[in-house]
Amino acid sequence: KNEVEQSPQNLTAQEGEFITINCSYSVGISALHWLQQHPGGGIVSLFMLSSGKKKHGRLIATINIQEKHSSLHITASHPRDSAVYICAVRDYGGSQGNLIFGKGTKLSVKP
Amino acid sequence: DAGVIQSPRHEVTEMGQEVTLRCKPISGHNSLFWYRQTMMRGLELLIYFNNNVPIDDSGMPEDRFSAKMPNASFSTLKIQPSEPRDSAVYFCASSRDSYNEQFFGPGTRLTVL
């Protein structure tokens, strides 16, 4: 069983829709990262959080430490949001720099 | 301000050849990470450095892989000899320290024939 599970694996939405991507993990963590990988391959860090909620523009990330679950929300989705979204956790018991990655959620937003 | 710089962007080589990937982290960042991404396994950490010192190399697949960081502004990942199963995209990332947000380079797409 993977230590970091994301759902759904693939998601197709219409422009303007509200989108939710989920991440569940099985280890104790000190932080959780959300990354965005563009169709060209580049990776951008969206959020790093260890509790509560963070917001940046149309993106919102939440985490529930007790339930070992995080969600990434995109409001008013746009075709330029089409990308792979990757959840990664820092294992509390592991070496401090070692991130464990989910397999990613491929999002396609249609105009 | 320049981000993380990787070279080459693409590398095609034949099995058995030595491959060297290069990375220049963001100035002032003390942690540097090497990742490999494949369709089958996704992103995996290979090794990371703090203040030029290797901290965790448990992800390095085998002795054919080696990484160095001779100074704060340069790191290399070497594969010798290369094999077709090493074909992947190799990313370098840096951060202020290993607890902080990581900034990724554009990656090197390696193809071993």
Side-chain angles (χ1 to χ4, degrees):
Chain A
K1 186 182 185 301
N2 292 328
E3 291 166 303
V4 181
E5 298 272 4
Q6 289 186 235
S7 63
Q9 283 188 299
N10 294 282
L11 180 58
T12 300
Q14 286 297 128
E15 184 174 356
E17 286 185 3
F18 180 84
I19 289 164
T20 296
I21 299 171
N22 297 298
C23 176
S24 296
Y25 50 91
S26 58
V27 296
I29 69 167
S30 57
L32 182 143
H33 298 246
W34 280 103
L35 309 172
Q36 179 191 54
Q37 186 165 27
H38 296 287
I43 297 176
V44 174
S45 176
L46 298 175
F47 295 104
M48 185 180 75
L49 64 167
S50 54
S51 65
K53 179 168 81 171
K54 286 191 176 181
K55 184 176 188 293
H56 182 71
R58 295 179 295 105
L59 302 178
I60 303 167
T62 63
I63 188 169
N64 185 318
I65 296 294
Q66 286 73 29
E67 295 185 4
K68 296 188 175 179
H69 180 268
S70 175
S71 293
L72 176 69
H73 305 286
I74 305 175
T75 61
S77 60
H78 190 276
R80 64 174 175 266
D81 298 325
S82 298
V84 176
Y85 292 84
I86 301 169
C87 171
V89 302
R90 182 179 305 121
D91 184 348
Y92 190 80
S95 66
Q96 60 195 28
N98 198 341
L99 293 180
I100 306 169
F101 294 88
K103 292 284 191 278
T105 294
K106 185 174 183 180
L107 171 65
S108 178
V109 181
K110 306 293 186 188
Chain B
D1 188 19
V4 175
I5 298 171
Q6 289 187 248
S7 65
R9 295 292 305 275
H10 301 272
E11 175 83 27
V12 180
T13 190
E14 291 188 344
M15 183 174 66
Q17 296 297 307
E18 176 179 296
V19 175
T20 299
L21 311 182
R22 296 172 176 81
C23 176
K24 177 178 167 55
I26 293 172
S27 177
H29 283 190
N30 297 317
S31 296
L32 182 140
F33 307 80
W34 281 103
Y35 294 100
R36 178 172 68 178
Q37 186 178 39
T38 61
M39 290 291 291
M40 289 295 294
R41 300 172 67 90
L43 269 167
E44 301 174 286
L45 177 71
L46 298 176
I47 185 171
Y48 82 93
F49 296 83
N50 269 355
N51 297 314
N52 314 338
V53 176
I55 301 299
D56 184 348
D57 64 355
S58 58
M60 295 285 264
E62 48 199 88
D63 291 346
R64 297 185 298 107
F65 285 68
S66 62
K68 293 182 179 179
M69 192 164 186
N71 57 62
S73 60
F74 183 66
S75 177
T76 59
L77 177 68
K78 187 175 293 186
I79 309 172
Q80 166 65 17
S82 58
E83 296 182 3
R85 62 193 165 116
D86 302 330
S87 298
V89 180
Y90 292 81
F91 287 97
C92 176
S94 72
S95 63
R96 291 193 188 281
D97 60 50
S98 56
Y99 290 102
N100 276 318
E101 176 187 14
Q102 296 182 18
F103 294 82
F104 285 76
T108 295
R109 182 173 295 277
L110 173 65
T111 303
V112 183
L113 302 174

